[in-house]
Structures are given as C-alpha cells and as structure tokens.
Amino acid sequence: MVTEHTPTSTAQVLVASNRGPITYTLGEDGTLDAKRGGGGLVSGLSAVDDKLWVCAALGDGDREAVRRGVGEPGVRMLDIDAEVHADAYNGIANSVLWFVHHLLYQTPVEPVFDAEFRRQWASYEAYNRAFAQALAEEAGPEAAVLVQDYHLALVPGMLRELRPDLKIGHFSHTPWAPLDYFRLLPDDIGEQLLRGILGADRAAFLTRRWADAFIGCCTEILGGTGRTRVGVHGLGADADFLRRRSREADVDERMETLREQVGEDRKTIVRVDRTELSKNIVRGLHAYRTLLETRPEWRERVVHVAFAYPSRQDLSVYRDYTAAVQTLATEINGAYGTESWTPVLLHVNDDFARSLAAYRLADVALVNPIRDGMNLVAKEVPVVSDHGCALVLSREAGAYEELGEDAIVVNPYDVVATAEALHEALSMGSDERAGRTKRLAEAATALPPQQWFLDQLEALRQE
C-alpha cells in the first residue's frame, strides 16, 4: 500500500542501506507502481515491528515518489542528487571498495587514484553525510541504528558526531581486505574508512576471517579498534520460505521445462550467480570444459545449468564479463554439443522461480567465487534439493567457514582441480550425498535472517 510518509522522529530501531525494501516504477501515464524487494535484510527486518528503514532513491520512479511525498510506512527514501549518487555508488563503492575487498584489481595497471577519484570520493562523503543527517533527524533518544555495508562506511562516524546518544552498529556484507591489499587505497582514504566504521559501538561481519582482517587493518593503521566491539553473525538461509516457495506451481512448471532441456538420465551441475567479477563464472566454465576434455565418460551424461544474471551493467567491465561468459558457453557447446545434447544451458535473464527449480534438480552445485562475503546460494541449494546435492565450494567463500566439512572444497583459481572436484561430486554415491546434504542444510539454516538481525540488535543494545 502506498501512503504519505510522515517522519516520526521517535524511531527506536533504524536501518540504513543503499537499496531499500521497495522500488517505484514511473508509468507512461504518470502513475507510480511499488514493488517490494527480497533478500536477507528484508527477511531479517520482518522480525521487528517498530522500525524505520532509511535508503536512497535509486531511479527516476523512486525520485518521483519522494518528490510527490509518496512512500510506505516505516521507509524514508532520500532523494540524493543523481550525479552524486552515481559517483558514490558506481565510482567509489562498486569500482573501488568492492574491488579492494574482493581482491579484483589487475595491479600492474590499476587502481590509479587520481584527481577524478578524489572528485568522486567527495561525492561518497556527501552521500554518506546525507544518510547520517537523515538518521540523526529520525532517531529517537538512545535509538539503535544499524548501518549496512560498504556503501555507507563513513556513516557511523558522521552520525556519532551528530547524535552521540545513539547505539550505532555497522554490518559488512562483503569480505574485508587483508592489510596489504587494503593499503592499495590512499593512506588518508583507508584511515578515513576505518575511522568511519569505528564510529559505531559495534562493527559486525559475516565470518571470523573477515572480522579478523578488519581488526588487523585497524591495529596496524590506527593502533587498534578503540571502543568499538567487533562481532560475527553468519547469515543463514530462510528454510521455511525457501521450502514453501520452491514447491509452488510456477517452480514446478520451470522444473518440467528444465528437465526437457537437460534430457533423460543426465546429471546436472548447477550454478546460480549474478555476473559479478568476484563470482568466477568464467573459470567455472573452463573447469567444466576441462572435465569434458579429461573425463570423456561424462560427455552426453551431464549438463551444466548456468544461470548468470546481469549485474551492474552500467559499468563496462561488467558488460565485458557478461559477454565473456556467453562467448565461452557458446564455444563449449560448439566444441562438444551434439544433436541431442547441449553441454551448457546458460540463462542470463533473472528468474527466481527458475533458480529454485534448478536448486531442486541439481546433482552438483558449483559455487566457486574468487572471494565472497558469504554466498547464500551455497546455503540455499542443500535446503531445497529434491534428491540430495553435492556441493563444490570455493575456500574463499564466507560459507566455507560453516559448510567446508561437508563440501568438496576447491581453490577457485585452479581449473584442473575444480574439474576433478566436479568429477568427484558427480560420482558420489546417493547415500553419501544424502548425508552430506542433510548436514549442509542444518548448518546453512543455523542462523536464519530474522534471528540474524535480532542477534545483532540485542548485541548492540547491550553495548
């Protein structure tokens, strides 16, 4: 329901994130259509009734909604200048901070921190300041404020200056770069980022590894974490939602279509990712091709169902990466395909129901990121798998910390070893696969989204 937004100035639980729980689309006739989003944060926040979500207006529809005074109860959308947002979001958050924390730079030629970077950094500061000011206005006395992710790393420090009475938390959904890589950033910028997060009473991460990396950077660069406590909360899969949603009619329909496309008596290797550079889709395809080359017994007996949904296509490096994925899939199909067998079934258009259908059908799930804060796909597939699924998992995924014991673990850069891991997974006996799947599902759902959020809130209130 779309209603007029009235600031309460008394909210006791506030969440800040770049993307909010709702998106508006502006129709040709001037009408605004509201669409609710999903994800772990949306699910987690459903556990709290009295809350305010502060987010950015991301498109023309969102900005028009703000200008008209249209909104949803419990959401304040900020109409930050579009150019400032583009600089902060694409120029800094996604092209610098994301690259640093995921170790993605080709260091012989990048990064280059020049005058243009400094101009964009000023926009990142302005963007964070807008959030800090809005939170300061909206928060009730001694309220709890949970700031989300690398887009808003400066907010805790800015908000602390404006409202020292607040309980402030910051949660990083990405990895944290090790010290040597973090120091690629200009010294003053690295220090500013750390001090920004240390404005929080509590900084939290998805795994102990990322928390320790953050502590290491603070210790070496600033001499410690000061009064800020550091915690770990490993976001899990929402088992109830996934099991219910994966049994709905549209998923069943897509399963029938996928079965026809795969063919009778063939096994499936499934991956579901956005085409982010960190997801390592290209090396995954190389590993599959290596499997077909070195293990010819799998030809015509397995299909790689690869869903690579476009991400950040306004950045050329991501468009190029998506094109590379498509080119390689076409090459594999050209080299090995027959009239009755398509080795790679690639889809690049997002379809959640089809993803769930693939989860249910998967004999093997391939999750091989270069680096990932957690990777919920690794946790979701075992939860909804119909007949048990072997998990081939990168040791650089945050999920490795919880799932590594029952996964087949790979070095994401080693294509030959990944091909052998795929062979091992495809060859796994049904009893072993069922046992592993059961244990994976239990570990994957240990901290579902609602409890994940409530645990953070409780820990923050106790600071």
Side-chain angles (χ1 to χ4, degrees), residues 174-371:
T174 64
W176 192 270
L179 175 64
D180 287 349
Y181 210 89
F182 185 78
R183 279 189 149 165
L184 289 178
L185 292 167
D187 292 352
D188 61 317
I189 299 299
E191 184 172 330
Q192 190 178 350
L193 283 166
L194 294 175
R195 292 194 187 282
I197 292 177
L198 292 180
D201 297 282
R202 197 164 185 277
F205 297 84
L206 287 164
T207 73
R208 173 48 53 190
R209 181 183 179 187
W210 312 142
D212 287 346
F214 174 75
I215 292 169
C217 288
C218 291
T219 301
E220 185 66 27
I221 295 170
L222 301 178
T225 57
R227 59 185 290 279
T228 303
R229 298 289 179 265
V230 178
V232 175
H233 301 275
L235 175 63
D238 188 341
D240 292 340
F241 165 75
L242 287 168
R243 287 174 179 143
R244 181 179 67 253
R245 181 68 183 88
S246 65
R247 295 303 187 272
E248 291 181 5
D250 59 340
V251 177
D252 289 336
E253 290 170 10
R254 284 159 177 79
M255 281 185 71
E256 288 306 311
T257 301
L258 283 174
R259 281 197 186 100
E260 289 177 14
Q261 292 172 331
V262 168
E264 290 294 323
D265 300 322
R266 288 191 179 122
K267 295 200 171 189
T268 57
I269 299 169
V270 168
R271 79 172 305 136
V272 177
D273 284 306
R274 294 183 305 280
T275 50
E276 289 171 357
L277 311 183
S278 59
K279 298 300 183 182
N280 210 23
I281 302 168
V282 168
R283 285 194 192 89
L285 287 167
H286 279 303
Y288 179 62
R289 180 163 65 182
T290 301
L291 172 75
L292 299 180
E293 289 172 357
T294 60
R295 299 282 186 174
E297 65 267 29
W298 287 115
R299 296 176 192 174
E300 301 215 47
R301 291 181 54 215
V302 65
V303 172
H304 186 13
V305 180
F307 297 163
Y309 301 143
S311 175
R312 300 174 186 169
Q313 294 298 293
D314 43 357
L315 297 176
S316 61
V317 66
Y318 284 86
R319 292 195 299 272
D320 293 345
Y321 190 73
T322 302
V325 169
Q326 293 172 307
T327 298
L328 185 51
T330 300
E331 288 177 1
I332 294 170
N333 286 337
Y336 293 99
T338 66
E339 266 189 38
S340 60
W341 173 53
T342 302
V344 181
L345 185 59
L346 177 68
H347 284 288
V348 295
N349 55 318
D350 200 345
D351 185 330
F352 184 57
R354 188 178 58 215
S355 296
L356 290 173
Y359 287 0
R360 288 179 58 185
L361 285 174
D363 294 292
V364 176
L366 175 58
V367 181
N368 69 319
I370 292 169
R371 197 168 164 88

Side-chain angles (χ1 to χ4, degrees), residues 79-106:
D79 185 10
I80 298 167
D81 178 83
E83 290 186 9
V84 169
H85 183 270
D87 283 343
Y89 181 72
N90 283 329
I92 299 297
N94 289 340
S95 295
V96 176
L97 302 184
W98 180 272
F99 273 60
V100 167
H101 289 314
H102 290 85
L103 318 185
L104 291 176
Y105 279 122
Q106 298 181 63

